[in-house]
């Protein structure tokens, strides 16, 4: 039996470490379903090919954690918003910063590119929505009306309207050129997390923390459906490409909804946790989620999912009878369809009508020299040149986007299926069954992940050689600083293991390494956690008395610069140790070997509770 004959409906495609610290946001390119962007607390935006664990490129420049990322329609650009309210747009083909946009006063919560113009919408915790012309500095329009944070933005397919969803339980529809509200929908009873336009019809869907999805008629401005059944807040919704059904990503499951009448066609168990984004390609649905510093991607085979009448999940409608198929041909509109412009020139209308009203309040606009300085700090580091060229600079093609014609992701073998069933090596050449894997394919299956591991180990070896050279040329403190600056915990762990073994500790080292121990103690890797515990024990044993005595000593008479420096370092160490003490207390409640290790640490750190 070959893998192609699997009966699996859903499976995990990959799981990998995406950032050196927690991942805060991610997005999948809707056009290809093959490109993913992640933003992290390390202030970076990383670009990935879905199903590959090697980062293609890393975009730097933000000074605060990245809170929101989004691709444009063609996947040639990516935009990221930070905790401070700054927005950066990158050109992925040129691998460079395109624009830095300043104006929001707090966390960016949502971003969206106009479907065919050079415009970008952003929302923030400051309740404002702004429309930007990416080609210029300053924003075009500010849309005000929500009373709480705006969580989601979506442009209508014809590019004339903008929909926004907010924590204030409302959905607003805005006229882009007039800069005012068209209507407001108020049926949700909790925060609205996501909003999506139907690809063809005048229909809008919104998902809320009240566990419902509402469908709104955009001709009559009325609610036409309330889809219920999700057991957790609705965070992800996506219309099928033909608009015949709506996919909802709930915790660990996918639901397929229809409307008029409201009904649930199918529920598919998927172990993706709290899924963050969805895309459809090649009759497969791609779902992505993140937890701590790792990202996971999942595939649902839509050919095996019910997407129309017949079997209906009871509970959405009261009876359990099969629904008859509509007499109208599939895809025929029950309401008005969007009129899409034939060229992108129509986007000029927004620009022309808004130029006279361009707003950029005092304090939000900066000088060109300031913007240039910001953009010089931004960079795009290409980590995987081969994938970068293949995706963003393909040969002999006009389009710069990831290839449109891509094969579906292959399903994994059935659980319990032996390698012999996958590998035809045990069969004679004359008796290979139809669909069986070739020798080359079988070896590829066996060696899956080998190339990725080689790349990771080569990179790690190169970094360690750099650290070794710094240590030999300067000192251990410089080597530690270099290891920390690489934003790779595995390198920090390797250096710490050497220092722990030889007890090469100094007070200067403590100030550098204590923040890293915080990350190690909360890592999901057992070896990282163990190294962090060992380092913390050694610091407490060798330096706590020095730190405590220094902080409790009476002030000296006169100027003593070295004493003041030592006092400052001890104060910083004490603060970090107190933070670590709280982590240790929580971990000490665990059972097993880890629990006993943290209990020992808790006893060792008990004097911290009485410290000044």
């Amino acid at each position: 039996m070959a893998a192609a004959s699997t009966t699996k409906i859903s499976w995990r495609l990959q799981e990998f470490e995406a950032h050196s610290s927690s991942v805060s946001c991610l997005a999948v390119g809707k056009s290809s379903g093959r490109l993913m962007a992640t933003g992290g607390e390390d202030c970076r935006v990383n670009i990935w090919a879905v199903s590959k664990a090697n980062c293609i490129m890393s975009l730097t420049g933000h000074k605060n954690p990245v809170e929101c990322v989004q691709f444009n329609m063609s996947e040639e650009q990516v935009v990221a918003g930070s905790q401070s309210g700054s927005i950066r747009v990158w050109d992925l083909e040129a691998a460079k910063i395109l624009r830095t946009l300043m104006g929001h006063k707090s966390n960016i919560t949502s971003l969206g590119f106009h479907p065919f113009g050079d415009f970008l919408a952003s929302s923030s915790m400051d309740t404002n929505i702004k429309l930007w012309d990416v080609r210029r500095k300053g924003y075009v329009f500010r849309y005000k009306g929500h009373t709480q944070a705006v969580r989601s933005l979506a442009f209508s397919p014809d590019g004339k309207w903008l929909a926004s969803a907010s924590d204030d339980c409302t959905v607003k529809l805005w006229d882009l050129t007039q800069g005012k509200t068209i209507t407001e929908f108020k049926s949700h009873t909790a925060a609205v997390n996501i909003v999506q336009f139907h690809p063809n019809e005048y229909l809008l869907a919104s998902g809320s923390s009240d566990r419902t999805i509402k469908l709104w008629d955009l001709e009559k401005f009325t609610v036409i459906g309330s889809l219920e059944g999700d057991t957790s807040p609705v965070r992800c919704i996506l219309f099928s490409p033909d608009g015949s059904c709506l996919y909802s990503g709930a915790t660990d499951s996918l639901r397929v909804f229809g409307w008029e009448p409201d009904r649930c066609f199918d529920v598919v168990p998927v172990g993706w946790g709290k899924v963050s984004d969805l895309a459809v390609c090649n009759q497969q649905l791609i779902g992505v989620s993140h937890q701590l510093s790792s990202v996971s991607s999942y595939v649902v085979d839509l050919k095996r999912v019910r997407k129309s009448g017949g079997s209906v999940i009871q509970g959405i409608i009261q009876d359990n009878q099969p629904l008859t198929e509509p007499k109208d041909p599939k895809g025929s509109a029950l309401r008005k369809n969007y009129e899409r412009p034939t060229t992108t020139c129509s986007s000029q209308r927004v620009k022309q009508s808004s130029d006279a009203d361009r707003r950029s309040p005092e304090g939000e606009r900066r000088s060109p020299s300031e913007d240039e300085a910001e953009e010089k700090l931004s960079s795009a580091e290409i980590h995987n040149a081969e994938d970068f060229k293949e995706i963003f600079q393909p040969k002999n093609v006009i389009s710069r986007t990831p290839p449109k014609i891509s094969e579906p992701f292959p399903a994994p073998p059935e659980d319990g299926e032996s390698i012999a069933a996958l590998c035809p090596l045990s069969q004679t050449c004359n008796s290979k069954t139809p669909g069986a894997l070739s020798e080359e394919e079988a070896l590829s299956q066996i060696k899956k992940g080998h190339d990725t591991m080689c790349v990771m180990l080569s990179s790690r070896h190169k970094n360690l050689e750099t650290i070794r050279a710094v240590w030999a040329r300067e000192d251990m403190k410089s080597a530690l600083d270099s290891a920390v600056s690489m934003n790779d915990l595995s390198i920090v762990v390797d250096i710490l293991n050497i220092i722990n073994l030889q007890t090469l500790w100094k007070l200067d080292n403590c100030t550098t390494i204590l923040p890293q121990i915080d990350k190690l103690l909360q890592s999901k890797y057992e070896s990282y956690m163990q190294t962090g515990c060992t380092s913390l024990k050694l610091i407490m044993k060798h330096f706590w008395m020095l730190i405590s005595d220094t902080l409790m000593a009476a002030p000296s008479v006169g100027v003593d610069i070295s004493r003041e420096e030592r006092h400052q370092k001890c104060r910083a160490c004490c603060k970090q140790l107190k933070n670590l003490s709280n982590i240790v207390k929580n971990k000490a409640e665990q059972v097993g070997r880890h629990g006993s290790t943290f209990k020992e640490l808790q006893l060792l750190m008990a004097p911290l509770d009485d410290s000044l």
Side-chain angles (χ1 to χ4, degrees):
M1 178 189 293
S5 63
T6 181
T7 58
K8 284 181 180 288
I9 295 178
S10 65
W11 60 91
R12 185 167 70 184
L13 191 60
Q14 64 174 157
E15 181 179 12
F16 59 93
E17 289 291 306
H19 288 263
S20 59
S21 55
S22 294
V23 177
S24 48
C25 55
L26 51 76
V28 179
K30 299 296 188 292
S31 190
S32 69
R34 294 297 188 268
L35 204 59
M36 178 166 55
T38 60
E41 291 183 0
D42 58 6
C43 308
R44 289 174 172 256
V45 175
N46 291 336
I47 307 297
W48 313 80
V50 174
S51 83
K52 295 185 179 181
N54 296 330
C55 179
I56 299 172
M57 60 198 302
S58 189
L59 310 173
T60 62
H62 277 295
K63 298 175 183 176
N64 299 93
V66 177
E67 293 285 299
C68 186
V69 289
Q70 196 61 256
F71 289 102
N72 70 342
M73 296 293 287
S74 63
E75 298 173 13
E76 298 170 0
Q77 296 175 8
V78 71
V79 61
S82 77
Q83 265 186 13
S84 66
S86 68
I87 299 169
R88 282 173 167 77
V89 185
W90 283 273
D91 183 320
L92 294 177
E93 183 196 25
K96 68 175 185 179
I97 184 77
L98 195 63
R99 183 70 70 225
T100 299
L101 305 170
M102 309 293 285
H104 285 292
K105 297 177 181 177
S106 58
N107 302 41
I108 300 298
T109 53
S110 182
L111 295 162
F113 280 97
H114 193 271
F116 36 78
D118 291 310
F119 298 99
L120 168 72
S122 62
S123 67
S124 167
M125 292 287 286
D126 63 15
T127 76
N128 291 326
I129 300 167
K130 294 188 177 182
L131 181 69
W132 310 81
D133 186 335
V134 177
R135 299 164 296 184
R136 306 180 181 192
K137 303 282 197 304
Y139 59 85
V140 178
F141 272 124
R142 171 163 45 183
Y143 306 95
K144 299 178 70 175
H146 283 294
T147 58
Q148 295 184 44
V150 178
R151 293 297 174 185
S152 178
L153 296 172
F155 284 101
S156 60
D158 61 3
K160 296 178 181 178
W161 295 344
L162 178 70
S164 59
S166 170
D167 283 354
D168 62 16
C169 309
T170 69
V171 174
K172 291 181 185 292
L173 193 64
W174 307 86
D175 184 302
L176 281 182
T177 56
Q178 298 299 318
K180 63 181 182 181
T181 309
I182 298 172
T183 190
E184 181 181 61
F185 300 117
K186 296 183 176 180
S187 294
H188 283 295
T189 58
V192 189
N193 303 316
I194 186 75
V195 66
Q196 289 283 310
F197 281 93
H198 190 282
N200 305 310
E201 301 176 23
Y202 270 39
L203 191 65
L204 183 72
S206 58
S208 167
S209 291
D210 64 12
R211 303 180 183 181
T212 69
I213 298 170
K214 307 289 186 187
L215 289 160
W216 314 92
D217 187 302
L218 298 182
E219 288 183 277
K220 301 175 182 177
F221 301 124
T222 57
V223 62
I224 63 162
S226 182
L227 309 175
E228 302 175 6
D230 281 323
T231 56
S232 59
V234 180
R235 291 186 177 86
C236 282
I237 55 175
L238 180 70
F239 280 102
S240 61
D242 63 2
S244 62
C245 65
L246 181 70
Y247 301 114
S248 171
T251 301
D252 286 328
S253 67
L254 173 74
R255 281 175 166 76
V256 187
F257 290 110
W259 56 94
E260 296 176 317
D262 298 344
R263 56 211 191 271
C264 182
F265 293 129
D266 209 346
V267 179
V268 181
V270 192
W272 52 27
K274 294 179 180 178
V275 63
S276 299
D277 200 12
L278 302 172
V280 171
C281 182
N282 291 324
Q283 297 190 61
Q284 290 182 332
L285 182 136
I286 314 301
V288 289
S289 62
H290 61 88
Q291 185 175 19
L292 298 178
S293 60
S294 66
V295 167
S296 299
S297 59
Y298 293 80
V299 177
V300 178
D301 185 354
L302 296 180
K303 296 191 298 294
R304 300 180 183 274
V305 173
R306 293 186 291 271
K307 300 184 285 293
S308 59
S311 300
V312 179
I313 307 301
Q314 191 172 9
I316 305 301
I317 56 177
Q318 294 303 311
D319 58 49
N320 195 22
Q321 298 302 313
L323 293 169
T324 56
E325 292 287 351
K327 294 180 181 179
D328 296 329
K330 189 174 183 180
S332 62
L334 297 175
R335 53 188 58 80
K336 186 177 177 180
N337 278 18
Y338 296 104
E339 295 179 3
R340 290 173 175 79
T342 54
T343 71
T344 59
C345 296
S346 62
S347 65
Q348 297 298 314
R349 186 175 63 175
V350 178
K351 179 181 77 66
Q352 291 166 358
S353 64
S354 62
D355 273 350
D357 298 322
R358 275 182 79 80
R359 303 182 184 86
S360 208
E362 202 173 322
E364 293 187 3
R365 192 154 189 177
R366 310 183 313 165
S367 67
S369 61
E370 286 179 301
D371 284 322
E372 287 170 11
E374 282 285 342
E375 289 171 13
K376 282 180 181 177
L377 293 173
S378 303
S379 67
E381 305 165 10
I382 299 174
H383 297 301
N384 194 318
E386 187 176 333
D387 281 348
F388 174 77
K389 289 178 181 177
E390 179 186 343
I391 293 174
F392 297 110
Q393 298 177 340
K395 295 179 181 178
N396 304 322
V397 293
I398 297 174
S399 173
R400 298 188 295 174
T401 63
K404 300 288 183 184
I405 303 173
S406 54
E407 293 296 321
F409 291 117
E414 294 291 345
D415 295 337
E417 187 171 344
S418 67
I419 193 66
L422 286 174
C423 181
L425 296 176
S426 59
Q427 305 173 9
T428 63
C429 293
N430 296 327
S431 63
K432 284 207 298 185
T433 58
L437 295 179
S438 66
E439 182 176 340
E440 184 179 348
E441 291 170 333
L443 288 173
S444 176
Q445 288 271 2
I446 295 169
K447 295 192 298 183
K448 187 177 181 182
H450 173 73
D451 292 340
T452 300
M453 182 59 72
C454 285
V455 170
M456 290 173 64
L457 290 176
S458 296
S459 173
R460 190 169 175 181
H461 181 264
K462 182 180 178 182
N463 287 337
L464 285 172
E465 286 292 333
T466 302
I467 299 299
R468 181 183 179 187
V470 172
W471 196 331
R473 186 176 64 251
E474 299 179 38
D475 55 19
M476 185 183 67
K477 175 69 166 60
S478 301
L480 261 177
D481 290 339
S482 297
V484 170
S485 68
M486 288 178 176
N487 286 321
D488 185 344
L489 272 183
S490 65
I491 302 298
V492 173
V493 168
D494 287 338
I495 301 301
L496 275 183
N497 284 334
I498 295 171
I499 297 173
N500 291 344
L501 189 64
Q502 300 183 21
T503 323
L504 302 171
W505 286 99
K506 293 182 180 179
L507 187 60
D508 280 349
N509 301 338
C510 297
T511 58
T512 301
I513 216 62
L514 280 170
Q516 301 302 309
I517 291 177
D518 189 315
K519 298 176 184 178
L520 295 176
L521 295 186
Q522 300 186 73
S523 171
K524 65 179 184 179
Y525 298 117
E526 181 178 335
S527 60
Y528 288 18
M529 199 184 298
Q530 198 64 43
T531 297
C533 288
T534 302
S535 298
L536 187 54
K537 285 178 186 177
L538 289 170
I539 289 173
M540 286 298 298
K541 287 178 179 178
H542 289 89
F543 292 99
W544 173 244
M545 289 303 298
L546 170 64
I547 293 170
S548 179
D549 291 344
T550 302
L551 294 178
M552 295 178 69
S556 61
V557 179
V559 178
D560 187 342
I561 295 176
S562 61
R563 184 184 183 282
E564 183 58 33
E565 286 178 348
R566 185 167 64 253
H567 191 276
Q568 191 173 354
K569 290 174 185 175
C570 288
R571 189 163 59 245
C573 286
C574 185
K575 182 179 179 181
Q576 291 163 346
L577 284 169
K578 284 186 176 181
N579 291 336
L580 290 171
S581 178
N582 293 327
I583 297 173
V584 168
K585 285 177 183 176
N586 292 332
K587 297 277 187 181
E589 298 174 2
Q590 298 177 353
V591 295
R593 185 161 58 89
H594 288 313
S596 60
T597 301
F598 282 108
K599 282 185 180 70
E600 183 183 348
L601 262 176
Q602 187 180 14
L603 291 173
L604 199 59
M605 300 181 79
L608 280 164
D609 296 332
D610 302 320
S611 66
L612 295 176

